[in-house]
Amino acid sequence: MSAPKPMTQEALMSAFGGESMAHTRYLVFAEIAESEGFKNVARLFKAIAFSERVHARNHYKTLENLNVDAKVVAGAPFGPGNTSKNLELAIRGERFEVEEMYPVYVEIAEKQNEKAAAQSFRWALEAERIHASLFAIAKEYVERGEDMPLEGNVWICPTCGYTSIGKTPPEKCPICQLSGSYFASF
Ligand code: FE2
Ligand code: FE2
Ligand code: FE2
């Protein structure tokens, strides 16, 4: 297997940078939520941080045939604040990925016939949609000064980052078909 074509390569590197930063950012947001008493929002941030790490890992591994140093350009919302503001930053980041970044990256990878990269981008796109809506729900509660209700655990697919909430994981991941018994719980 050869390295992906340059345009796809650039998209993978940038997405790796973006996901790595999101991973760290959500862990910071989790600490802040914890300190403000929003235990469930903190749990959601920790779980989704893991999902972003899964995406970063997948993008990074798709570049396994390279042996280069590169500078990565990737955007991130800056300026952590209280949990309400952090959720706003998180929603903005997720929506950018869902509405602009990943649809374009999927298209680039598909046009270049880079199947592994296209799958890595598609898997992330599906998970980010869920992240955006979960953060939006959390924000409604936090704005009223309440923690969000979480029935059960937050479950993350360790293969594709699919995120669900419930007492048990899904039987099978609806995105990558991995058995739910492998899901990580938060
Ligand atoms: Fe992600
Ligand atoms: Fe996300
Ligand atoms: Fe999955």
PDB file of all heavy atoms in Angstrom, residues 40-66:
ATOM      1  N   ASN A  40     -22.474  15.080  35.147  1.00  0.00           N
ATOM      2  CA  ASN A  40     -22.845  14.360  33.920  1.00  0.00           C
ATOM      3  C   ASN A  40     -22.262  15.039  32.680  1.00  0.00           C
ATOM      4  O   ASN A  40     -21.847  14.365  31.743  1.00  0.00           O
ATOM      5  CB  ASN A  40     -24.366  14.249  33.792  1.00  0.00           C
ATOM      6  CG  ASN A  40     -24.927  13.233  34.766  1.00  0.00           C
ATOM      7  OD1 ASN A  40     -24.199  12.386  35.284  1.00  0.00           O
ATOM      8  ND2 ASN A  40     -26.224  13.313  35.026  1.00  0.00           N
ATOM      9  N   VAL A  41     -22.213  16.355  32.704  1.00  0.00           N
ATOM     10  CA  VAL A  41     -21.607  17.070  31.572  1.00  0.00           C
ATOM     11  C   VAL A  41     -20.112  16.724  31.529  1.00  0.00           C
ATOM     12  O   VAL A  41     -19.540  16.516  30.451  1.00  0.00           O
ATOM     13  CB  VAL A  41     -21.833  18.600  31.669  1.00  0.00           C
ATOM     14  CG1 VAL A  41     -21.130  19.315  30.513  1.00  0.00           C
ATOM     15  CG2 VAL A  41     -23.324  18.929  31.664  1.00  0.00           C
ATOM     16  N   ALA A  42     -19.485  16.618  32.697  1.00  0.00           N
ATOM     17  CA  ALA A  42     -18.072  16.231  32.764  1.00  0.00           C
ATOM     18  C   ALA A  42     -17.881  14.840  32.165  1.00  0.00           C
ATOM     19  O   ALA A  42     -16.944  14.598  31.400  1.00  0.00           O
ATOM     20  CB  ALA A  42     -17.578  16.251  34.215  1.00  0.00           C
ATOM     21  N   ARG A  43     -18.808  13.935  32.490  1.00  0.00           N
ATOM     22  CA  ARG A  43     -18.750  12.564  31.959  1.00  0.00           C
ATOM     23  C   ARG A  43     -18.915  12.579  30.434  1.00  0.00           C
ATOM     24  O   ARG A  43     -18.216  11.863  29.715  1.00  0.00           O
ATOM     25  CB  ARG A  43     -19.880  11.764  32.605  1.00  0.00           C
ATOM     26  CG  ARG A  43     -19.681  10.298  32.686  1.00  0.00           C
ATOM     27  CD  ARG A  43     -20.194   9.744  34.016  1.00  0.00           C
ATOM     28  NE  ARG A  43     -21.588   9.998  34.281  1.00  0.00           N
ATOM     29  CZ  ARG A  43     -22.591   9.213  33.862  1.00  0.00           C
ATOM     30  NH1 ARG A  43     -22.342   8.129  33.162  1.00  0.00           N
ATOM     31  NH2 ARG A  43     -23.843   9.488  34.172  1.00  0.00           N
ATOM     32  N   LEU A  44     -19.828  13.417  29.961  1.00  0.00           N
ATOM     33  CA  LEU A  44     -20.038  13.526  28.511  1.00  0.00           C
ATOM     34  C   LEU A  44     -18.763  14.030  27.821  1.00  0.00           C
ATOM     35  O   LEU A  44     -18.345  13.484  26.794  1.00  0.00           O
ATOM     36  CB  LEU A  44     -21.211  14.470  28.224  1.00  0.00           C
ATOM     37  CG  LEU A  44     -21.589  14.612  26.746  1.00  0.00           C
ATOM     38  CD1 LEU A  44     -22.210  13.312  26.218  1.00  0.00           C
ATOM     39  CD2 LEU A  44     -22.563  15.778  26.540  1.00  0.00           C
ATOM     40  N   PHE A  45     -18.131  15.055  28.410  1.00  0.00           N
ATOM     41  CA  PHE A  45     -16.897  15.583  27.808  1.00  0.00           C
ATOM     42  C   PHE A  45     -15.802  14.513  27.779  1.00  0.00           C
ATOM     43  O   PHE A  45     -15.084  14.385  26.784  1.00  0.00           O
ATOM     44  CB  PHE A  45     -16.408  16.816  28.585  1.00  0.00           C
ATOM     45  CG  PHE A  45     -17.005  18.123  28.114  1.00  0.00           C
ATOM     46  CD1 PHE A  45     -17.546  19.022  29.031  1.00  0.00           C
ATOM     47  CD2 PHE A  45     -16.991  18.479  26.770  1.00  0.00           C
ATOM     48  CE1 PHE A  45     -18.083  20.249  28.614  1.00  0.00           C
ATOM     49  CE2 PHE A  45     -17.514  19.697  26.335  1.00  0.00           C
ATOM     50  CZ  PHE A  45     -18.062  20.584  27.261  1.00  0.00           C
ATOM     51  N   LYS A  46     -15.682  13.737  28.888  1.00  0.00           N
ATOM     52  CA  LYS A  46     -14.640  12.700  28.936  1.00  0.00           C
ATOM     53  C   LYS A  46     -14.894  11.630  27.880  1.00  0.00           C
ATOM     54  O   LYS A  46     -13.973  11.164  27.210  1.00  0.00           O
ATOM     55  CB  LYS A  46     -14.602  12.040  30.316  1.00  0.00           C
ATOM     56  CG  LYS A  46     -13.668  12.738  31.276  1.00  0.00           C
ATOM     57  CD  LYS A  46     -13.553  11.950  32.579  1.00  0.00           C
ATOM     58  CE  LYS A  46     -13.574  12.924  33.735  1.00  0.00           C
ATOM     59  NZ  LYS A  46     -14.100  12.363  34.978  1.00  0.00           N
ATOM     60  N   ALA A  47     -16.149  11.235  27.763  1.00  0.00           N
ATOM     61  CA  ALA A  47     -16.508  10.194  26.789  1.00  0.00           C
ATOM     62  C   ALA A  47     -16.224  10.681  25.369  1.00  0.00           C
ATOM     63  O   ALA A  47     -15.608   9.973  24.563  1.00  0.00           O
ATOM     64  CB  ALA A  47     -17.987   9.822  26.942  1.00  0.00           C
ATOM     65  N   ILE A  48     -16.654  11.897  25.073  1.00  0.00           N
ATOM     66  CA  ILE A  48     -16.484  12.409  23.708  1.00  0.00           C
ATOM     67  C   ILE A  48     -15.011  12.695  23.431  1.00  0.00           C
ATOM     68  O   ILE A  48     -14.540  12.521  22.304  1.00  0.00           O
ATOM     69  CB  ILE A  48     -17.434  13.600  23.441  1.00  0.00           C
ATOM     70  CG1 ILE A  48     -18.885  13.073  23.491  1.00  0.00           C
ATOM     71  CG2 ILE A  48     -17.136  14.271  22.099  1.00  0.00           C
ATOM     72  CD1 ILE A  48     -19.971  14.086  23.201  1.00  0.00           C
ATOM     73  N   ALA A  49     -14.247  13.056  24.469  1.00  0.00           N
ATOM     74  CA  ALA A  49     -12.791  13.194  24.300  1.00  0.00           C
ATOM     75  C   ALA A  49     -12.207  11.871  23.805  1.00  0.00           C
ATOM     76  O   ALA A  49     -11.343  11.853  22.916  1.00  0.00           O
ATOM     77  CB  ALA A  49     -12.125  13.597  25.617  1.00  0.00           C
ATOM     78  N   PHE A  50     -12.693  10.769  24.350  1.00  0.00           N
ATOM     79  CA  PHE A  50     -12.208   9.451  23.912  1.00  0.00           C
ATOM     80  C   PHE A  50     -12.606   9.190  22.460  1.00  0.00           C
ATOM     81  O   PHE A  50     -11.806   8.674  21.663  1.00  0.00           O
ATOM     82  CB  PHE A  50     -12.735   8.345  24.836  1.00  0.00           C
ATOM     83  CG  PHE A  50     -12.322   6.965  24.409  1.00  0.00           C
ATOM     84  CD1 PHE A  50     -10.986   6.574  24.466  1.00  0.00           C
ATOM     85  CD2 PHE A  50     -13.255   6.063  23.914  1.00  0.00           C
ATOM     86  CE1 PHE A  50     -10.602   5.295  24.048  1.00  0.00           C
ATOM     87  CE2 PHE A  50     -12.876   4.798  23.492  1.00  0.00           C
ATOM     88  CZ  PHE A  50     -11.547   4.404  23.559  1.00  0.00           C
ATOM     89  N   SER A  51     -13.829   9.577  22.112  1.00  0.00           N
ATOM     90  CA  SER A  51     -14.277   9.405  20.726  1.00  0.00           C
ATOM     91  C   SER A  51     -13.370  10.189  19.765  1.00  0.00           C
ATOM     92  O   SER A  51     -12.996   9.683  18.695  1.00  0.00           O
ATOM     93  CB  SER A  51     -15.740   9.862  20.596  1.00  0.00           C
ATOM     94  OG  SER A  51     -16.135   9.923  19.253  1.00  0.00           O
ATOM     95  N   GLU A  52     -12.989  11.399  20.154  1.00  0.00           N
ATOM     96  CA  GLU A  52     -12.112  12.209  19.282  1.00  0.00           C
ATOM     97  C   GLU A  52     -10.729  11.567  19.165  1.00  0.00           C
ATOM     98  O   GLU A  52     -10.083  11.642  18.119  1.00  0.00           O
ATOM     99  CB  GLU A  52     -11.973  13.644  19.806  1.00  0.00           C
ATOM    100  CG  GLU A  52     -13.257  14.383  20.152  1.00  0.00           C
ATOM    101  CD  GLU A  52     -14.314  14.430  19.061  1.00  0.00           C
ATOM    102  OE1 GLU A  52     -14.147  13.788  18.015  1.00  0.00           O
ATOM    103  OE2 GLU A  52     -15.332  15.109  19.273  1.00  0.00           O
ATOM    104  N   ARG A  53     -10.295  10.912  20.246  1.00  0.00           N
ATOM    105  CA  ARG A  53      -9.006  10.217  20.187  1.00  0.00           C
ATOM    106  C   ARG A  53      -9.069   9.050  19.204  1.00  0.00           C
ATOM    107  O   ARG A  53      -8.095   8.772  18.494  1.00  0.00           O
ATOM    108  CB  ARG A  53      -8.613   9.713  21.574  1.00  0.00           C
ATOM    109  CG  ARG A  53      -7.121   9.523  21.714  1.00  0.00           C
ATOM    110  CD  ARG A  53      -6.758   8.846  23.014  1.00  0.00           C
ATOM    111  NE  ARG A  53      -7.039   7.417  22.939  1.00  0.00           N
ATOM    112  CZ  ARG A  53      -6.757   6.554  23.905  1.00  0.00           C
ATOM    113  NH1 ARG A  53      -6.200   6.968  25.019  1.00  0.00           N
ATOM    114  NH2 ARG A  53      -7.032   5.290  23.760  1.00  0.00           N
ATOM    115  N   VAL A  54     -10.222   8.387  19.182  1.00  0.00           N
ATOM    116  CA  VAL A  54     -10.410   7.297  18.216  1.00  0.00           C
ATOM    117  C   VAL A  54     -10.290   7.847  16.790  1.00  0.00           C
ATOM    118  O   VAL A  54      -9.620   7.262  15.931  1.00  0.00           O
ATOM    119  CB  VAL A  54     -11.787   6.612  18.425  1.00  0.00           C
ATOM    120  CG1 VAL A  54     -12.094   5.649  17.274  1.00  0.00           C
ATOM    121  CG2 VAL A  54     -11.828   5.882  19.773  1.00  0.00           C
ATOM    122  N   HIS A  55     -10.902   9.002  16.545  1.00  0.00           N
ATOM    123  CA  HIS A  55     -10.811   9.611  15.205  1.00  0.00           C
ATOM    124  C   HIS A  55      -9.368   9.981  14.876  1.00  0.00           C
ATOM    125  O   HIS A  55      -8.886   9.721  13.773  1.00  0.00           O
ATOM    126  CB  HIS A  55     -11.702  10.859  15.117  1.00  0.00           C
ATOM    127  CG  HIS A  55     -13.156  10.555  15.303  1.00  0.00           C
ATOM    128  ND1 HIS A  55     -14.061  11.480  15.753  1.00  0.00           N
ATOM    129  CD2 HIS A  55     -13.844   9.403  15.113  1.00  0.00           C
ATOM    130  CE1 HIS A  55     -15.262  10.909  15.819  1.00  0.00           C
ATOM    131  NE2 HIS A  55     -15.151   9.654  15.441  1.00  0.00           N
ATOM    132  N   ALA A  56      -8.691  10.604  15.847  1.00  0.00           N
ATOM    133  CA  ALA A  56      -7.293  10.999  15.626  1.00  0.00           C
ATOM    134  C   ALA A  56      -6.456   9.765  15.299  1.00  0.00           C
ATOM    135  O   ALA A  56      -5.649   9.773  14.368  1.00  0.00           O
ATOM    136  CB  ALA A  56      -6.741  11.714  16.860  1.00  0.00           C
ATOM    137  N   ARG A  57      -6.661   8.700  16.049  1.00  0.00           N
ATOM    138  CA  ARG A  57      -5.930   7.441  15.828  1.00  0.00           C
ATOM    139  C   ARG A  57      -6.184   6.907  14.415  1.00  0.00           C
ATOM    140  O   ARG A  57      -5.264   6.514  13.698  1.00  0.00           O
ATOM    141  CB  ARG A  57      -6.358   6.422  16.897  1.00  0.00           C
ATOM    142  CG  ARG A  57      -5.535   5.166  17.002  1.00  0.00           C
ATOM    143  CD  ARG A  57      -6.130   3.876  16.391  1.00  0.00           C
ATOM    144  NE  ARG A  57      -7.557   3.795  16.238  1.00  0.00           N
ATOM    145  CZ  ARG A  57      -8.379   3.067  16.971  1.00  0.00           C
ATOM    146  NH1 ARG A  57      -7.931   2.407  18.008  1.00  0.00           N
ATOM    147  NH2 ARG A  57      -9.657   3.001  16.688  1.00  0.00           N
ATOM    148  N   ASN A  58      -7.457   6.872  14.026  1.00  0.00           N
ATOM    149  CA  ASN A  58      -7.788   6.337  12.699  1.00  0.00           C
ATOM    150  C   ASN A  58      -7.130   7.150  11.585  1.00  0.00           C
ATOM    151  O   ASN A  58      -6.574   6.587  10.642  1.00  0.00           O
ATOM    152  CB  ASN A  58      -9.306   6.322  12.493  1.00  0.00           C
ATOM    153  CG  ASN A  58      -9.972   5.273  13.361  1.00  0.00           C
ATOM    154  OD1 ASN A  58      -9.325   4.384  13.908  1.00  0.00           O
ATOM    155  ND2 ASN A  58     -11.286   5.373  13.498  1.00  0.00           N
ATOM    156  N   HIS A  59      -7.200   8.487  11.698  1.00  0.00           N
ATOM    157  CA  HIS A  59      -6.581   9.326  10.663  1.00  0.00           C
ATOM    158  C   HIS A  59      -5.066   9.101  10.638  1.00  0.00           C
ATOM    159  O   HIS A  59      -4.454   8.993   9.586  1.00  0.00           O
ATOM    160  CB  HIS A  59      -6.859  10.819  10.917  1.00  0.00           C
ATOM    161  CG  HIS A  59      -8.320  11.187  10.923  1.00  0.00           C
ATOM    162  ND1 HIS A  59      -9.283  10.468  10.261  1.00  0.00           N
ATOM    163  CD2 HIS A  59      -8.978  12.220  11.524  1.00  0.00           C
ATOM    164  CE1 HIS A  59     -10.473  11.044  10.454  1.00  0.00           C
ATOM    165  NE2 HIS A  59     -10.309  12.098  11.215  1.00  0.00           N
ATOM    166  N   TYR A  60      -4.484   9.048  11.820  1.00  0.00           N
ATOM    167  CA  TYR A  60      -3.023   8.904  11.922  1.00  0.00           C
ATOM    168  C   TYR A  60      -2.563   7.589  11.302  1.00  0.00           C
ATOM    169  O   TYR A  60      -1.572   7.544  10.573  1.00  0.00           O
ATOM    170  CB  TYR A  60      -2.596   8.991  13.396  1.00  0.00           C
ATOM    171  CG  TYR A  60      -1.112   9.155  13.585  1.00  0.00           C
ATOM    172  CD1 TYR A  60      -0.483  10.363  13.311  1.00  0.00           C
ATOM    173  CD2 TYR A  60      -0.329   8.092  14.029  1.00  0.00           C
ATOM    174  CE1 TYR A  60       0.879  10.521  13.477  1.00  0.00           C
ATOM    175  CE2 TYR A  60       1.039   8.233  14.204  1.00  0.00           C
ATOM    176  CZ  TYR A  60       1.640   9.448  13.924  1.00  0.00           C
ATOM    177  OH  TYR A  60       2.991   9.602  14.091  1.00  0.00           O
ATOM    178  N   LYS A  61      -3.303   6.514  11.600  1.00  0.00           N
ATOM    179  CA  LYS A  61      -2.908   5.199  11.089  1.00  0.00           C
ATOM    180  C   LYS A  61      -3.071   5.081   9.581  1.00  0.00           C
ATOM    181  O   LYS A  61      -2.393   4.279   8.940  1.00  0.00           O
ATOM    182  CB  LYS A  61      -3.688   4.093  11.807  1.00  0.00           C
ATOM    183  CG  LYS A  61      -3.191   3.891  13.245  1.00  0.00           C
ATOM    184  CD  LYS A  61      -3.923   2.798  13.950  1.00  0.00           C
ATOM    185  CE  LYS A  61      -3.432   1.421  13.531  1.00  0.00           C
ATOM    186  NZ  LYS A  61      -4.138   0.368  14.295  1.00  0.00           N
ATOM    187  N   THR A  62      -3.953   5.885   9.031  1.00  0.00           N
ATOM    188  CA  THR A  62      -4.137   5.884   7.582  1.00  0.00           C
ATOM    189  C   THR A  62      -2.896   6.440   6.879  1.00  0.00           C
ATOM    190  O   THR A  62      -2.696   6.236   5.683  1.00  0.00           O
ATOM    191  CB  THR A  62      -5.402   6.700   7.228  1.00  0.00           C
ATOM    192  OG1 THR A  62      -6.466   6.171   7.999  1.00  0.00           O
ATOM    193  CG2 THR A  62      -5.772   6.575   5.764  1.00  0.00           C
ATOM    194  N   LEU A  63      -2.041   7.126   7.640  1.00  0.00           N
ATOM    195  CA  LEU A  63      -0.807   7.687   7.079  1.00  0.00           C
ATOM    196  C   LEU A  63       0.418   6.826   7.395  1.00  0.00           C
ATOM    197  O   LEU A  63       1.548   7.310   7.384  1.00  0.00           O
ATOM    198  CB  LEU A  63      -0.600   9.106   7.630  1.00  0.00           C
ATOM    199  CG  LEU A  63      -1.646  10.139   7.172  1.00  0.00           C
ATOM    200  CD1 LEU A  63      -1.653  11.353   8.086  1.00  0.00           C
ATOM    201  CD2 LEU A  63      -1.398  10.539   5.724  1.00  0.00           C
ATOM    202  N   GLU A  64       0.173   5.537   7.666  1.00  0.00           N
ATOM    203  CA  GLU A  64       1.266   4.678   8.163  1.00  0.00           C
ATOM    204  C   GLU A  64       2.407   4.478   7.164  1.00  0.00           C
ATOM    205  O   GLU A  64       3.500   4.093   7.565  1.00  0.00           O
ATOM    206  CB  GLU A  64       0.718   3.319   8.625  1.00  0.00           C
ATOM    207  CG  GLU A  64       0.135   2.482   7.508  1.00  0.00           C
ATOM    208  CD  GLU A  64      -0.673   1.302   8.022  1.00  0.00           C
ATOM    209  OE1 GLU A  64      -0.585   0.991   9.218  1.00  0.00           O
ATOM    210  OE2 GLU A  64      -1.401   0.709   7.205  1.00  0.00           O
ATOM    211  N   ASN A  65       2.164   4.734   5.896  1.00  0.00           N
ATOM    212  CA  ASN A  65       3.254   4.529   4.928  1.00  0.00           C
ATOM    213  C   ASN A  65       4.143   5.743   4.721  1.00  0.00           C
ATOM    214  O   ASN A  65       5.045   5.719   3.885  1.00  0.00           O
ATOM    215  CB  ASN A  65       2.696   4.037   3.600  1.00  0.00           C
ATOM    216  CG  ASN A  65       2.227   2.601   3.730  1.00  0.00           C
ATOM    217  OD1 ASN A  65       2.974   1.742   4.170  1.00  0.00           O
ATOM    218  ND2 ASN A  65       0.970   2.366   3.413  1.00  0.00           N
ATOM    219  N   LEU A  66       3.899   6.785   5.491  1.00  0.00           N
ATOM    220  CA  LEU A  66       4.759   7.970   5.385  1.00  0.00           C
ATOM    221  C   LEU A  66       5.942   7.843   6.347  1.00  0.00           C
ATOM    222  O   LEU A  66       5.923   7.061   7.291  1.00  0.00           O
ATOM    223  CB  LEU A  66       3.984   9.231   5.759  1.00  0.00           C
ATOM    224  CG  LEU A  66       2.790   9.652   4.897  1.00  0.00           C
ATOM    225  CD1 LEU A  66       2.308  11.017   5.340  1.00  0.00           C
ATOM    226  CD2 LEU A  66       3.173   9.676   3.433  1.00  0.00           C
TER     227      LEU A  66
END
